Amino acid sequence: MANGHGNSVPRFHITWGTGPGLVAPFERRVREGVERGLVGFCLRHQVDEIITSDGRVSGVRGSLLEESNAERAVKSSREVVGEFFFSAGAVIVSSGGIGGNHDLERKNWPRDRLGEPPKNMVSGVPHHVDGRMLGITNQAGGSIINSDRMWHYTEGVKNWDPIWPQHGIRVLPGPSSFWCDAEGYRMPVSCLPGYDTLSTLSHIMQSGYDYSWFVLSQSIIEKEFALSGSEQNPDLTGKSVLKVLQRAKKGAPAQVEAFKQKGEDFIVRDTIEELVEGMNALTGENLIRLDHLRGQLEARDREIENTYTKDLQIAALRVTRNYIGDRLIRTAKPHRILDPKHRPLIAVRLNILTRKTLGGIHTDLSSRVLDTSGNAIEGLYAAGEAAGFGGGGMHGYNALEGTFLGGCIFSGRIAGRAAAEAG
Ligand SMILES: Cc1cc2nc3c(=O)[nH]c(=O)nc-3n(C[C@H](O)[C@H](O)[C@H](O)COP(=O)(O)OP(=O)(O)OC[C@H]3O[C@@H](n4cnc5c(N)ncnc54)[C@H](O)[C@@H]3O)c2cc1C
């Protein structure tokens, strides 16, 4: 059991080989299953209904969608060209979360905790993660619980080369960027970069706007900007130790440089005057005042020389550099952001990024779907993100980075075994 800082559960976070490497062993086993006649793929089959007969779930019905060769970043066709029906001894719903469906995200938004939902968000998941099966499971009697629990990141930037519509990439920030709200007010201490996502989300939503800003220097972006996603980390995805070691080299990684040059949320300028002009032009809201932002940056910069500083962000970044790994590849040498030697200046608009659905289909410990009275529905199981990674929300309201796939794999195994035993 973890007591205090640290944790004792398996985490899939920055995995060797990233997503493709992680999926590979499972893919191999599924393909073996196909060869042995145990598994069948039904592509372009969209489930629309869970069928119940004689008091138990007995199959699914759905639409056959037309073939689609959709380009990257374009939604695949939903044109129906036929229908299908499968009868089954057991049905396991593993249809994922709701993060690709912003309307559903807004409907489920925890207004009591976070106020009104954001008008604009970027998608941290593909559009097929649409939450439709939650409603379909509900129609079959399944109870949906904790639907106001969702995990959003606060550091989303629009992908200049999107894979799916409204594709947002999360910046995994190092500790040095100056972080301010839409009006240029510096974030309070609990909202330092990479510290407390939920508290930062709450603070941003209270600001009355749905975005915030990082202001940083070229030296900070070179050392501290990591971007999530397999395409953004070709060294890890390609399992190249040599390329990973090159992260310690001077200069921004090519993927970060591409975002700096082509990303619509990035403003890169030589002077603070030009930077503020660019920030205001990007939003069209004229909320950033030059003297106000410059004054705060100068106050922050003065503390760089002060070894006894009360600026907790600067104190924290010095602590970070006590760890050799962070010192080499994650934390820039402390410097004044406005120092011309560290130019250009960079401002990054940070959007709210959808990602995980922490609530979902209510199940018991055998992954059997429960109805609103808490009784198991015969023949119906749920696993993965659709079931809040297990049970209908096993993470609670907070979530520990990298523990989601564990819940998917574990609840999938439980559901599979329980369905096989029942059959
Ligand atoms: C960019 C990104 C990074 C992530 N990083 C991490 C990480 O570092 N660590 C971690 O632990 N977790 C991470 N996660 C979360 C984790 O990857 C997901 O929670 C997990 O993959 C969900 O798996 P799943 O099988 O439950 O759902 P999905 O992988 O979403 O699969 C659901 C499937 O059901 C299909 N489907 C949906 N509705 C229907 C229907 N009506 N009919 C037929 N088929 C349907 C979908 O097309 C899809 O193929 C990340 C997620 C994303 C998107």
Side-chain angles (χ1 to χ4, degrees), residues 25 46 68 130 140 157 174 205 221 250 298 322 343 355 416 421:
Q46 176 189 269
S68 171
D130 60 9
V157 289
M205 295 320 297
I221 203 168
K250 200 173 154 37
E298 284 170 351
N322 287 336
R343 274 180 190 165
R355 183 81 98 219
E421 274 166 26

Short mmCIF file of all heavy atoms in Angstrom, two decimals, residues 25 46 68 130 140 157 174 205 221 250 298 322 343 355 416 421:
data_model
loop_
_atom_site.label_atom_id
_atom_site.label_comp_id
_atom_site.label_asym_id
_atom_site.label_seq_id
_atom_site.Cartn_x
_atom_site.Cartn_y
_atom_site.Cartn_z
N PRO A 25 1.65 -7.14 -28.22
CA PRO A 25 1.44 -8.52 -27.72
C PRO A 25 -0.03 -8.94 -27.71
O PRO A 25 -0.35 -10.11 -27.95
CB PRO A 25 1.99 -8.48 -26.28
CG PRO A 25 2.25 -7.06 -25.96
CD PRO A 25 2.30 -6.28 -27.24
N GLN A 46 -21.81 -1.36 -36.73
CA GLN A 46 -22.07 -0.45 -35.62
C GLN A 46 -23.25 -0.96 -34.80
O GLN A 46 -24.37 -1.07 -35.32
CB GLN A 46 -22.40 0.94 -36.18
CG GLN A 46 -22.79 1.94 -35.12
CD GLN A 46 -23.30 3.22 -35.75
OE1 GLN A 46 -22.53 4.14 -36.00
NE2 GLN A 46 -24.59 3.27 -36.04
N SER A 68 -15.28 2.85 -46.05
CA SER A 68 -14.83 4.24 -45.98
C SER A 68 -13.31 4.29 -46.09
O SER A 68 -12.60 3.55 -45.40
CB SER A 68 -15.27 4.84 -44.64
OG SER A 68 -14.68 6.09 -44.46
N ASP A 130 -17.54 8.03 -28.83
CA ASP A 130 -18.69 8.93 -28.82
C ASP A 130 -19.70 8.66 -27.70
O ASP A 130 -20.72 9.34 -27.59
CB ASP A 130 -19.42 8.86 -30.17
CG ASP A 130 -19.93 7.45 -30.50
OD1 ASP A 130 -19.87 6.57 -29.62
OD2 ASP A 130 -20.39 7.23 -31.64
N ALA A 140 -30.99 -0.99 -22.41
CA ALA A 140 -31.15 -2.43 -22.14
C ALA A 140 -31.26 -2.69 -20.64
O ALA A 140 -31.23 -3.85 -20.21
CB ALA A 140 -29.96 -3.19 -22.74
N VAL A 157 -2.96 21.63 -26.95
CA VAL A 157 -2.71 22.49 -28.11
C VAL A 157 -3.25 21.79 -29.35
O VAL A 157 -3.22 20.56 -29.44
CB VAL A 157 -1.20 22.80 -28.30
CG1 VAL A 157 -0.72 23.74 -27.21
CG2 VAL A 157 -0.35 21.55 -28.33
N GLY A 174 7.41 20.89 -18.32
CA GLY A 174 8.43 20.98 -17.28
C GLY A 174 8.03 22.12 -16.35
O GLY A 174 7.00 22.77 -16.53
N MET A 205 -11.67 27.43 -15.07
CA MET A 205 -13.11 27.59 -15.30
C MET A 205 -13.67 28.76 -14.48
O MET A 205 -14.57 29.46 -14.93
CB MET A 205 -13.88 26.30 -15.01
CG MET A 205 -13.55 25.13 -15.94
SD MET A 205 -13.30 25.54 -17.68
CE MET A 205 -14.90 26.16 -18.15
N ILE A 221 11.50 26.02 -23.92
CA ILE A 221 10.81 25.08 -24.84
C ILE A 221 11.76 23.96 -25.27
O ILE A 221 11.35 22.81 -25.43
CB ILE A 221 10.19 25.81 -26.05
CG1 ILE A 221 9.05 24.97 -26.65
CG2 ILE A 221 11.20 26.11 -27.16
CD1 ILE A 221 8.18 25.68 -27.66
N LYS A 250 21.35 19.89 -26.93
CA LYS A 250 20.76 21.22 -27.02
C LYS A 250 19.82 21.30 -28.23
O LYS A 250 19.99 20.58 -29.20
CB LYS A 250 21.90 22.24 -27.17
CG LYS A 250 21.49 23.65 -26.79
CD LYS A 250 22.66 24.59 -26.78
CE LYS A 250 22.22 26.03 -27.04
NZ LYS A 250 20.96 26.45 -26.45
N GLU A 298 8.75 40.39 -14.93
CA GLU A 298 9.95 41.00 -14.32
C GLU A 298 10.05 40.60 -12.84
O GLU A 298 11.14 40.31 -12.34
CB GLU A 298 9.88 42.53 -14.45
CG GLU A 298 10.21 42.99 -15.86
CD GLU A 298 9.93 44.47 -16.11
OE1 GLU A 298 9.30 45.13 -15.25
OE2 GLU A 298 10.31 44.96 -17.18
N ASN A 322 17.51 18.86 -8.67
CA ASN A 322 18.33 17.99 -7.81
C ASN A 322 18.30 16.54 -8.28
O ASN A 322 19.12 15.74 -7.88
CB ASN A 322 17.82 18.05 -6.36
CG ASN A 322 18.19 19.37 -5.73
OD1 ASN A 322 19.15 20.02 -6.15
ND2 ASN A 322 17.43 19.78 -4.72
N ARG A 343 16.07 34.34 -26.08
CA ARG A 343 15.03 34.57 -27.08
C ARG A 343 14.95 33.44 -28.10
O ARG A 343 15.94 32.74 -28.30
CB ARG A 343 15.35 35.87 -27.84
CG ARG A 343 14.83 37.09 -27.15
CD ARG A 343 15.20 38.29 -27.97
NE ARG A 343 14.93 39.52 -27.23
CZ ARG A 343 15.41 40.71 -27.56
NH1 ARG A 343 16.21 40.84 -28.61
NH2 ARG A 343 15.11 41.75 -26.86
N ARG A 355 -10.16 13.77 -22.41
CA ARG A 355 -9.41 12.50 -22.49
C ARG A 355 -10.18 11.35 -21.86
O ARG A 355 -10.79 10.56 -22.55
CB ARG A 355 -8.02 12.63 -21.87
CG ARG A 355 -7.20 11.36 -21.99
CD ARG A 355 -6.52 11.18 -23.34
NE ARG A 355 -5.14 11.61 -23.26
CZ ARG A 355 -4.52 12.28 -24.23
NH1 ARG A 355 -5.13 12.57 -25.34
NH2 ARG A 355 -3.27 12.65 -24.09
N GLY A 416 -14.30 -11.43 -19.49
CA GLY A 416 -14.15 -12.60 -20.37
C GLY A 416 -14.28 -13.89 -19.60
O GLY A 416 -15.00 -14.81 -20.01
N GLU A 421 -17.38 -18.63 -17.93
CA GLU A 421 -17.85 -19.53 -16.86
C GLU A 421 -19.38 -19.63 -16.86
O GLU A 421 -19.94 -20.72 -16.70
CB GLU A 421 -17.38 -19.01 -15.49
CG GLU A 421 -15.99 -19.50 -15.15
CD GLU A 421 -15.38 -18.74 -13.97
OE1 GLU A 421 -16.15 -18.23 -13.12
OE2 GLU A 421 -14.14 -18.64 -13.93
#
